[in-house]
Amino acid sequence: MRAVTWQGRHKISVETVPDPEIVNPRDIILKVTSTAICGSDLHLYDGYIPGMRAGDIVGHEFMGEVVETGAQSTLKKGQRVVIPFTISCGQCFFCEKQQYSACDNSNPSETRDASELLMGHAMGGAFGYAHLTGGYAGGQADYVRVPYSDVGPVIIPDDLPDDDVLFLSDILPTGWHAAVNADIEPGDTVAIWGCGPVGLFTIQSALLLGAGRVIAIDHFPARLALARGMGAEILDYTRVDVREALNEMTGGIGPDACIDCVGMESHGFTADNILDQVKAQFYSVTERPHALRQAILACRKGGRLSIPGVYGGFADKFPLGQLMEKGLTVKSGQTPVQKYTGELLKMIQDGKFDTTSLVSHHAPLEDAAEMYRHWHGEQNDYTKIILKPGLEKGAIQAKSEMENA
Ligand SMILES: [Zn+2]
Ligand SMILES: [Zn+2]
């Protein structure tokens, strides 16, 4: 089969690799029909995620058709399913508490020890995201093996097209979890750093959960326009002093909740940010937590901080004193996707979410290397890319062309 592989920093190639096989009775084999490139795939692309090996198959946002089932799978051949990026056994201490992303069984012993050394406890398993999280082959491929198929997959009704539901695999539940973690009270003002795909779903989720105002921060005009279209007030951080603006907009108090949808590769031109970038160039730090620092300083006293943005290790100049003195509550973590997929599928069917206007491109799997380059370098125009196995090389569709068609 054909698969998108990581070969080193800024090196992605599509290769012919062996087809996956059932190895456990709870497995299925999925024929992939749609798979998206995620913002967190950029951290792999840029070489900041430890534990990648040349040849690893990437991709953790995917859906498709069941083509083979293990003896204990509850799925049937021919069913359409979306697969959560978190791999969860459904039976351990953590899965029983619905903390699926912390599953203690899905990261096999060969790889869990290294993650335990780094994090203090072993990380849960995830698709296509390095050997610290199990080294599972990802879904940017013609086929993929899905373990624990009786726990994760979301069965999709025939009348819902792929584009409407694909994001149940990660970014929609992640945006929802980010807003849930902000403990939003009716009428709250919520500030959201980053209008990438997760940020855009966080905006929608915060409003659905009762926020009175959502203020979204970014600098890409197209992403800010999408945010505004979803109901947010917007701030371009290259044009205003964000903290000053947030203070003015909230009568000097600050937002009730602040959400960092940026993570480890924060852009910006302030002194702290430039220092982070220099250090990251030499790999003396992995984190560039500029957005997070700003969120802590901007948040109102006694406010709440939610961090869905991905971080991988130790952060420099973390404003710990400010966090403590202001009495902020912090919630974070990889999303327990399986906890939310049922209610979110229902909300998609009820038209509560706009799941498609952020999609800028559909492209063949074969053009993945080119698409990673665009996704990395042209974030204004490439807001979300969906790869389609089976499309012929070169058959790239941009949203602007689709709208004109
Ligand atoms: Zn993702
Ligand atoms: Zn588990």
Side-chain angles (χ1 to χ4, degrees), residues 38 40 60-61 170:
C38 181
S40 58
H60 60 269
E61 300 182 1
D170 177 0

Side-chain angles (χ1 to χ4, degrees), residues 100-385:
Y100 294 102
S101 45
C103 177
D104 229 3
N105 283 328
S106 56
N107 195 347
S109 52
E110 309 89 83
T111 51
R112 61 180 286 128
D113 294 356
S115 77
E116 193 171 342
L117 202 66
L118 185 67
M119 300 292 167
H121 292 95
M123 296 164 79
F127 288 99
Y129 218 74
H131 291 263
L132 285 177
T133 53
Y136 288 93
Q140 289 171 10
D142 287 331
Y143 297 93
V144 58
R145 175 176 83 91
V146 178
Y148 306 123
S149 67
D150 50 327
V151 180
V154 192
I155 299 167
I156 302 301
D158 286 340
D159 62 327
L160 284 174
D162 279 21
D163 282 9
D164 284 8
V165 293
L166 171 62
F167 301 138
L168 283 169
S169 55
D170 177 0
I171 55 172
L172 173 53
T174 295
W176 182 254
H177 185 59
V180 167
N181 273 350
D183 293 323
I184 294 167
E185 290 168 12
D188 269 358
T189 297
V190 179
I192 298 173
W193 275 255
C195 298
V198 168
L200 294 171
F201 280 125
T202 306
I203 291 168
Q204 298 187 61
S205 301
L207 290 168
L208 285 166
L209 288 166
R213 293 171 82 186
V214 170
I215 303 167
I217 301 147
D218 204 306
H219 76 290
F220 293 112
R223 293 183 177 215
L224 285 168
L226 284 167
R228 200 205 300 266
M230 289 168 178
E233 298 164 61
I234 56 173
L235 290 179
D236 177 343
Y237 67 74
T238 62
R239 289 167 188 267
V240 297
D241 180 306
V242 170
R243 269 169 56 208
E244 227 168 70
L246 287 173
N247 255 338
E248 266 172 33
M249 294 166 89
T250 55
I253 288 177
D256 300 292
C258 290
I259 307 181
D260 169 12
C261 296
V262 176
M264 71 200 307
E265 295 191 60
S266 191
H267 301 270
F269 312 104
T270 57
D272 70 316
N273 206 279
I274 289 162
L275 245 174
D276 290 338
Q277 287 176 27
V278 171
K279 286 193 167 188
Q281 289 271 314
F282 294 101
Y283 290 85
S284 80
V285 296
T286 54
E287 320 301 329
R288 278 166 275 166
H290 172 68
L292 183 57
R293 291 185 197 116
Q294 199 170 56
I296 291 171
L297 293 175
C299 199
R300 77 156 165 85
K301 291 180 279 185
R304 291 146 260 138
L305 184 67
S306 163
I307 314 172
V310 171
Y311 291 93
F314 298 95
D316 210 11
K317 301 182 294 299
F318 182 76
L320 180 59
Q322 292 78 346
L323 181 76
M324 183 272 161
E325 294 295 347
K326 294 177 80 172
L328 305 187
T329 302
V330 184
K331 289 191 182 177
S332 187
Q334 296 284 1
T335 308
V337 176
Q338 294 88 335
K339 178 176 173 181
Y340 299 118
T341 45
E343 60 181 315
L344 291 175
L345 175 62
K346 175 85 177 48
M347 289 169 83
I348 291 171
Q349 287 174 303
D350 292 345
K352 296 257 169 68
F353 282 102
D354 171 357
T355 53
T356 52
S357 72
L358 74 165
V359 178
S360 58
H361 292 79
H362 290 90
L365 190 74
E366 291 293 335
D367 289 310
E370 188 188 335
M371 287 298 121
Y372 269 82
R373 266 199 306 280
H374 288 306
W375 180 234
H376 184 256
E378 297 154 66
Q379 296 188 9
N380 187 56
D381 300 319
Y382 288 74
T383 49
K384 190 72 180 174
I385 302 166

Side-chain angles (χ1 to χ4, degrees), residues 3-79:
V4 180
T5 65
W6 184 91
Q7 301 290 349
R9 187 167 192 235
H10 297 164
K11 281 191 207 132
I12 292 287
S13 66
V14 182
E15 304 288 340
T16 299
V17 300
D19 286 354
E21 288 172 4
I22 301 264
V23 298
N24 182 289
R26 292 169 73 186
D27 292 350
I28 58 159
I29 303 296
L30 188 80
K31 181 178 197 288
V32 177
T33 53
S34 294
T35 171
I37 307 179
C38 181
S40 58
D41 289 329
L42 283 184
H43 306 321
L44 302 176
Y45 189 70
D46 282 334
Y48 291 114
I49 301 295
M52 287 299 286
R53 296 177 197 161
D56 281 347
I57 300 172
V58 292
H60 60 269
E61 300 182 1
F62 56 92
M63 64 178 295
E65 183 193 328
V66 179
V67 290
E68 240 185 284
T69 54
Q72 287 171 31
S73 173
T74 49
L75 296 175
K76 294 184 191 71
K77 279 185 205 172
Q79 275 176 326

